[in-house]
Amino acid sequence: MISPAKQSIPDVFDVRILRQDGPGEKSYWERHRVTHQPDMNVISVLQQIAARAETEEGKKVSPVAWDCNCLEEVCGACTMLVNGRTRQACSALVDNLLQEQPDGIELRPMSKFPVVRDLVVQRDRLFRALKKVKAWVSVDGYFDRGPGPQQSPADQQTAYPLSQCMSCGCCLEACPQYTKIEVTRREGESEADFKKREAAAFDRGFIGAHAISQAILFNIHPTGKMNAGERLDALTSEGGLQICGNAQNCVAVCPKSIPLTTSIARAGRATTLHSLKKFFDR
Amino acid sequence: MTDSQPSPSFLARHEFLIRRLHSLSGLIPVGAYMVVHLLTNASVLAGAATFQANVDRIHSLGPILPLVEWTFIFIPILFHAILGVAFIWGAVPNTSDYPYSSNIRYMLQRATGMIAFAFIAFHIWHLHKYGEPFGGGAFDPHHATSTAGTAIQSALWIQLAYAVGVLACVYHLANGIWTMGITWGVWTSSEAQRKASYACGGFGVLLAVVGLAALSGFRMVDVEEAAAVEDRLETHRKIAEGEVAWGEEESTEEGSETSGDSPDVSSP
């Protein structure tokens, strides 16, 4: 590959990382030196930092912690703020980043989720929202009920893009209406009680674009449709669709280019009709 | 808060309905009222008599006018504005990190909403009871053009405040109609949303022209000439309503200078 700007890539570059030793602890900045290698991504940068475990000033530190899994932008685990923008570390290529911002790379954990350690965040709220809208097709039983209803090619075309969601959380990170909820364990509180209290707090917050879009996906599905009303009830409960403020950042940052704002508007229409129907059928 | 799950509050249980009513109230009646209000005010460009006739038509509601105003104007505006400010509290704007045009419109929608709330409060305060130091405080529905003209012409900063306030209200309505279309599911695809944004933008530009035309109308109006027209019209109205008998019109408490002038024969 010929890239005229390649000559400007330095042999060594700086990486600024916002670290945090544990949940609820104070965060602090740390600067690391990284030797440039061909075709680096942010994950390989973090691997080098972990192998060296030494700051720019030569201070020995614990290796920086991060989450990753698939390394091909389909699992969503390595989402973090790279140069202030939410994206996957695996698909953030160092040469491109240094061309945009030659003075180094800045890494921060996602700001809308509680930090576990360094760049690792706890995204339970994201998955709770998927449970809230029942983002699945219900198991109908352990016996053969014959073939299910067929899906039209038109519905398949609509559903496929929505099915590419990898629950990475970029849409939530960029959403001005999605605000951080962090519950801290009280003294003497059992783990179970704490988790229950945390779940209740998450349920009161905004569900987010990903869950709205998944509700639409499973309401299109011929079998999933059988629980359409329950999903719309979930979308109109506290913290539901109504919190959306139409900033439309979700669709702009989605790494899978999922038409999230179309899903939101479709959910708007469906909940409008569902609420009217419920009101007049009382 | 206790460890057991607290039962959700009234506001939490009806959050969807409340947010939808907030959305609806912005268009009906508040937005619809604003369109009528700006169009009526722009009729001042056709002269003091035309504007006075439009104001008289509104005031022909007589004693039920305050009821209509509170039901369809003041209460909906307060509902929309107070809830709107409360909703702004629950968000974290991030235009510096994500400077997308839709995100900037999101931020402007909230900024113009707060400007509009402050402006509407100032506008009522200025024209009615308390605005006397600024040429206002004396809006008289029977001398609509002259009293409103005096209020607007009193200072340059008043005119600037009105221009900013009117433009904020217009932006908030035009962009609000666009987001409302998504909220209620009128335009769903990104293509439909794009077309709707052009339509709402066009509506906003037209309404801004109407609003600024109304403002410049009050800025340019000759207050004394308008007052003379209004005095004549008021005399006719009083005669028509039987408040004053023929020939007694000189003694109206307004002290209008009808001396020597015989009442217009064309009056009813």
Side-chain angles (χ1 to χ4, degrees), chain A residues 164-192:
Chain A
Q164 293 182 90
C165 177
M166 55 183 178
S167 310
C168 67
C170 281
C171 55
L172 310 176
E173 178 64 31
C175 175
Q177 297 287 101
Y178 196 91
T179 50
K180 184 175 185 172
I181 296 176
E182 183 162 12
V183 182
T184 42
R185 194 163 160 182
R186 289 178 188 148
E187 208 149 319
E189 191 177 30
S190 74
E191 176 75 10

Side-chain angles (χ1 to χ4, degrees), chain A residues 148 160 201 207 250:
Chain A
Y160 182 66
I207 50 169
C250 52

Side-chain angles (χ1 to χ4, degrees), chain A residues 176-177 186 239 242 269 272, chain B residues 3 5 15 20 92 94 106 185:
Chain A
Q177 297 287 101
R186 289 178 188 148
Q242 66 274 9
R269 182 182 289 177
T272 302
Chain B
D3 278 6
Q5 309 296 322
E15 193 181 66
R20 282 294 174 96
V92 187
N94 54 10
Y106 164 91

Side-chain angles (χ1 to χ4, degrees), chain A residues 61-138:
Chain A
V61 290
S62 58
V64 175
W66 79 94
D67 242 350
C68 72
N69 187 19
C70 74
L71 303 180
E72 53 180 355
E73 206 193 66
V74 290
C75 79
C78 66
T79 309
M80 59 184 73
L81 300 179
V82 181
N83 289 344
R85 197 177 168 281
T86 181
R87 60 185 299 181
Q88 278 71 54
C90 66
S91 55
L93 303 180
V94 166
D95 289 1
N96 295 347
L97 293 172
L98 290 177
Q99 271 171 42
E100 285 163 22
Q101 201 176 294
D103 57 332
I105 296 170
E106 184 199 282
L107 302 177
R108 277 187 285 153
M110 295 174 89
S111 67
K112 303 292 175 76
F113 299 103
V115 172
V116 176
R117 185 182 172 86
D118 297 335
L119 302 171
V120 181
V121 293
Q122 186 251 58
R123 292 182 291 175
D124 287 5
R125 182 177 163 198
L126 186 158
F127 299 108
R128 262 208 86 78
L130 293 175
K131 286 184 194 165
K132 197 173 169 182
V133 300
K134 296 186 166 61
W136 53 74
V137 171
S138 300

Side-chain angles (χ1 to χ4, degrees), chain A residues 34-46:
Chain A
V34 174
T35 310
H36 181 265
Q37 289 159 354
D39 303 323
M40 277 184 121
N41 63 5
V42 169
I43 298 292
S44 56
V45 165
L46 286 166

Side-chain angles (χ1 to χ4, degrees), chain B residues 33-53:
Chain B
Y33 163 71
M34 195 179 96
V35 173
V36 172
H37 186 53
L38 291 181
L39 285 170
T40 307
N41 287 357
S43 74
V44 77
L45 290 166
T50 309
F51 182 59
Q52 188 60 52

Side-chain angles (χ1 to χ4, degrees), chain A residues 81 84-86 108 112 173-177 179 186 189 193 196-197 200 204 235-243 245-249 252-253 261-262 264-266 268-269 271-272 275, chain B residues 1-6 8-9 12-13 15-17 19-20 87 90-94 97-98 100-106 110 178-190 193:
Chain A
L81 300 179
R85 197 177 168 281
T86 181
R108 277 187 285 153
K112 303 292 175 76
E173 178 64 31
C175 175
Q177 297 287 101
T179 50
R186 289 178 188 148
E189 191 177 30
D193 283 349
K196 217 169 109 187
R197 198 160 57 81
R204 283 194 296 275
L235 286 182
T236 54
S237 65
E238 188 183 6
L241 171 70
Q242 66 274 9
I243 306 297
N246 296 301
Q248 303 205 329
N249 288 350
V253 299
T261 47
T262 300
I264 288 168
R266 289 177 65 127
R269 182 182 289 177
T271 50
T272 302
S275 311
Chain B
M1 200 167 81
T2 57
D3 278 6
S4 63
Q5 309 296 322
S9 67
R13 273 182 289 125
E15 193 181 66
F16 181 78
L17 179 66
R19 291 256 183 175
R20 282 294 174 96
F87 295 159
V92 187
N94 54 10
D97 288 328
Y98 303 99
Y100 308 123
S101 65
S102 55
N103 198 24
I104 290 164
R105 287 202 300 274
Y106 164 91
R110 278 135 192 85
W178 181 72
T179 58
M180 198 181 169
I182 302 168
T183 301
W184 291 78
V186 180
W187 27 81
T188 57
S189 71
S190 57
Q193 289 178 16

